[in-house]
Amino acid sequence: DAVAGVSVAFTVLKMDAGPLLRQEERPLVGDEQEPPLLLELFERGTELLLDALPSVWDGSCAGQLAPQEDARATKAAKLSTADAELRLEQLSASEAHNKVRARTGPC
């Protein structure tokens, strides 16, 4: 993927369907690893949520809400232990690199 991102959304009964209050993309350069990237996105999402809360409490956020577009949603398959196996004979160098950095932190 070329970008990651974080969203602040209202919850509704359908998964990932509530209106968006804040959303921010973060370009990826290709050497990010999951644990630090997850922490960075969590911290940024917290900042966005704290910034948005006053407008939620006073009701002024209503005009800022954007519906989520079902057509743009991406589905992620459930991961299994087999997904963590690194079979170098079946992967390109790029695929192996991405698989490792998706599941490990800095050494």
Side-chain angles (χ1 to χ4, degrees), residues 15-78:
M15 178 68 94
D16 294 331
L20 298 168
L21 183 55
R22 301 278 191 278
Q23 191 170 48
E24 189 170 287
E25 289 186 345
R26 194 259 199 210
L28 298 175
V29 296
D31 63 353
E32 296 86 357
Q33 294 179 330
E34 184 272 333
L37 180 60
L38 180 61
L39 179 60
E40 176 188 329
L41 293 174
F42 181 81
E43 289 173 346
R44 184 61 186 140
T46 301
E47 293 168 359
L48 291 172
L49 174 61
L50 291 174
D51 179 61
L53 280 177
S55 69
V56 172
W57 292 326
D58 69 17
S60 64
C61 71
Q64 302 170 21
L65 298 176
Q68 294 199 45
E69 299 174 36
D70 286 341
R72 293 188 62 209
T74 56
K75 306 289 186 216
K78 183 176 179 179

Side-chain angles (χ1 to χ4, degrees), residues 61-104:
C61 71
Q64 302 170 21
L65 298 176
Q68 294 199 45
E69 299 174 36
D70 286 341
R72 293 188 62 209
T74 56
K75 306 289 186 216
K78 183 176 179 179
L79 297 176
S80 69
T81 13
D83 293 320
E85 294 178 1
L86 190 62
R87 298 180 182 265
L88 297 177
E89 70 279 1
Q90 297 175 359
L91 300 171
S92 69
S94 177
E95 290 169 329
H97 169 75
N98 287 338
K99 195 168 193 175
V100 169
R101 70 187 183 85
R103 292 171 177 82
T104 60

